[in-house]
Amino acid sequence: MQQIQSDDLKGVSKTLLIPLHCCVEESKSESSSFKDEIAERFHDAIAYDWGKFDADSSQNWVTAVTTAAMNKRRVIFDEQVKNFLEEAPDGLVVNLGAGLNTRFHRLDNGRLEWIELDLPGVITFRQKLREPESKRHRMIAASVLDDDWVGEIKRYARSRVLFVAEGLLPYFTEEEHRKIFTCLAENFPGQEMLFHTIAPSLTPELAQHSLISRTKMKAEMQWGLDDSKQVSALNPKVEFVDEFSLLEGSYDLLPEPIRQKLSPAMAKQVMKIVHVRFRE
Ligand SMILES: C[S@@+](CC[C@H](N)C(=O)[O-])C[C@H]1O[C@@H](n2cnc3c(N)ncnc32)[C@H](O)[C@@H]1O
């Protein structure tokens, strides 16, 4: 198959290469039982200098922390989505800012409905990768910041809907977070969401040292929750359910200057997955 040019991905959309690469590194690792052949196929089909993600000696910790957090992020999202599907095997999962995420293929139980939503350029790119098709797996080309996609989600909604936002919200301002949560809470009362957030207290260091800056991608982290329960301040219909720390267990990988600023308890709050419910 002719390789697809990664330069077709513009701005923030190029960041989808980072979780894809981490997923594939884990899938190819002999010490791991995790396997994702579709992600490996996507990776092989994209023309990109993947070596850019490798550490240079002064920045080893960035790769180590990113890899540990990304692997944990994937495992927790997989587990939480699986829990949802155990309770609602024919529920609808809506993956906001889906990128080239392959969770649908990993968790498909033959009954669920799944929608991948991303910007039009990403959906066109993904369609060129010719992934296995399923009538229960749909793509919506839209910005999550507009609300023209809501009607389409409602059309496919079952009695239970789970929204997932992995690696998406940190690129949005507080005002944009408020807009997204208000849109979801108003339109999908009783439903749930899992989202990934990065607290502002560490955002400058992460932005300075992240794989995004190393690979010169044009994306900026903007805002996130220090305290997950503050999510209700964005919209009172958003109810906190649970949170999962992504840096817990990786504290020792952080360099001394960052550890001086962050206690282990604070580090737990820095990168999280948060589970919320929209009040009825
Ligand atoms: C870091 S990637 C994460 C991809 C995927 N969720 C994963 O974890 O593999 C961020 C994704 O958010 C998407 N994105 C950014 N802004 C968006 C917007 N306004 N509407 C929809 N998707 C957006 C990008 O195109 C990109 O695919």
Side-chain angles (χ1 to χ4, degrees), residues 73 77 165-172 177 181 194-200 203 206 221-231 234 240 242-247 267-275:
R73 183 174 113 178
F77 270 107
E166 180 177 5
L168 170 73
L169 297 185
Y171 301 107
F172 296 141
H177 276 74
F181 281 102
L194 291 167
F195 66 93
H196 164 232
T197 186
I198 298 179
T203 301
L206 277 182
M221 292 194 206
Q222 308 254 24
W223 193 81
L225 293 161
D226 274 331
D227 172 357
S228 305
K229 295 195 173 102
Q230 287 170 349
V231 69
L234 295 170
F240 170 82
D242 208 351
E243 66 179 341
F244 308 89
S245 166
L246 297 183
L247 272 191
K268 254 178 90 173
Q269 296 301 318
V270 165
M271 280 191 230
K272 292 163 292 200
I273 294 168
V274 184
H275 180 187

Side-chain angles (χ1 to χ4, degrees), residues 202 250-264 267:
L202 198 75
S250 308
Y251 185 75
D252 292 343
L253 299 174
L254 293 170
E256 184 58 27
I258 293 191
R259 272 187 281 151
Q260 272 173 8
K261 276 184 68 183
L262 278 176
S263 67

Side-chain angles (χ1 to χ4, degrees), residues 154-165:
K154 282 187 174 169
R155 214 149 46 87
Y156 295 112
R158 306 288 183 87
S159 58
R160 296 281 303 275
V161 182
L162 177 69
F163 292 90
V164 173

